[in-house]
Amino acid sequence: MISRRWALAAMAAAAPAVLAGCGGKHARKAASDPTDGPVSGVPVGDDTTIMVIRHGEKPGKHESGIGENGRPDAKSLTRRGWGRAGALPALFAPPKGQALKPGIVRPHTIYAAADQGPLAGAHRMRETVTPLARHLGIRLDTTYAEGQEAALAKAALSAPQPVLICWEHSRIPAIVNALGASHSGVPAVWPNRFDLVWVFTHAHGSWAFRQVDQHLLAGDA
């Protein structure tokens, strides 16, 4: 079970003060970028690692979302989702002496979908990775909105590696396609789970795919 203190700590860590790029010039672009194929004009080095996660648990029939102010919010994480957000540092930046899970690397760049501005979506993506970004001292990039997966992929390929992206699950395949990693063995759709990491590594001119179980909360697969 997730303690109230843990959830509240994660909620406090996800305060809007860490937002970067929300509502900027990229967010005012067309609502959808073409993602019929890989982005062009960006060389992909063999040191490229892109990790993708879904946001934490969302409201459903039996549990409501909780905003950063502690009030009900349909666009925010549930208590379990906040618990996952608070636990992510243990996965991507474990304490000294503890090894990373096979396939997981410490991110140097973190993206989450924009939740402010004309193309804003839900807050869940930002809320999920804000505690991790703060733990690592990384400026969370929320420049790109859902529907701008091609622009996001292009930016991610040029960003300091490794990269972590937190996104809405139905749009994750568009990111994979834009990266040119759709033939890496990755599933066509994101499974009905919140406890996964998709890891894409580029070597010898092609992408390799690995799915990693988070194993952060009781009940994770």
Side-chain angles (χ1 to χ4, degrees):
M1 298 294 291
I2 302 305
S3 71
R4 180 178 179 84
R5 179 181 299 176
W6 195 2
L8 291 176
M11 291 163 66
V18 302
L19 288 177
C22 288
K25 61 181 180 180
H26 294 287
R28 290 193 292 270
K29 292 171 59 178
S32 181
D33 281 343
T35 51
D36 292 336
V39 295
S40 59
V42 182
V44 184
D46 281 350
D47 61 343
T48 300
T49 299
I50 308 290
M51 300 175 290
V52 185
I53 61 173
R54 183 184 184 181
H55 56 73
E57 283 79 348
K58 65 180 182 179
K61 293 182 179 179
H62 305 294
E63 191 172 7
S64 62
I66 305 171
E68 292 154 344
N69 58 8
R71 298 175 181 173
D73 182 359
K75 293 186 176 182
S76 287
L77 298 168
T78 63
R79 187 173 301 281
R80 182 175 175 85
W82 282 111
R84 187 172 304 283
L88 282 177
L91 178 66
F92 291 101
K96 187 176 181 180
Q98 296 185 20
L100 289 158
K101 279 181 171 289
I104 299 297
V105 288
R106 185 185 180 109
H108 288 173
T109 304
I110 303 178
Y111 292 97
D115 64 341
Q116 294 185 7
L119 300 181
H123 307 307
R124 289 184 284 272
M125 285 72 76
R126 172 180 59 81
E127 291 170 344
T128 298
V129 288
T130 293
L132 175 62
R134 284 193 165 178
H135 180 78
L136 295 174
I138 291 175
R139 173 183 175 272
L140 177 58
D141 193 323
T142 57
T143 300
Y144 304 98
E146 295 171 47
Q148 296 181 318
E149 285 77 23
L152 168 67
K154 188 172 184 178
L157 291 173
S158 302
Q161 300 293 317
V163 170
L164 174 65
I165 298 171
C166 183
W167 217 249
E168 204 282 323
H169 76 285
S170 67
R171 299 299 305 173
I172 289 175
I175 299 174
V176 175
N177 195 34
L179 290 172
S182 57
H183 299 295
S184 61
V186 61
V189 296
W190 186 275
N192 186 26
R193 292 174 58 182
F194 297 92
D195 60 344
L196 295 175
V197 185
W198 280 5
V199 184
F200 300 90
T201 53
H202 195 267
H204 310 297
S206 63
W207 288 100
F209 166 74
R210 183 170 189 166
Q211 180 170 288
V212 180
D213 295 321
Q214 294 182 8
H215 289 155
L216 291 175
L217 305 181
D220 278 3

